[in-house]
Amino acid sequence: MRTLRIAAAVEAASLAVLLANLLTAHAEAIASLVGPLHGTAYLTVIAATWLIPAGTPARRRAVIPGIGGLLALRRLPADPE
């Protein structure tokens, strides 16, 4: 569950950075650094959701690019940590 929380936050934050970069300077260095980070976080969200004994709705939400991890977290029961 902790991995999913971290990956969901990184996924959303990296998408925000990519969009801000696209709307402003469009620096290739930023896109080259943050793009693979975003992709890795996206795949981590999907994998972490499948490893958690969660229902199908949470797994379906996890595959939505950009905000899927946050949506999946909302669908999962509260963690007793």
Side-chain angles (χ1 to χ4, degrees), residues 14-28 30-31:
S14 62
L15 179 64
V17 169
L18 286 171
L19 291 175
N21 181 45
L22 184 64
L23 295 173
T24 57
H26 195 54
E28 283 193 38
I30 294 173

Side-chain angles (χ1 to χ4, degrees), residues 32-55:
S32 295
L33 177 67
V34 180
L37 176 68
H38 176 71
T40 303
Y42 175 61
L43 293 175
T44 303
V45 162
I46 293 171
T49 305
W50 277 91
L51 291 175
I52 294 173

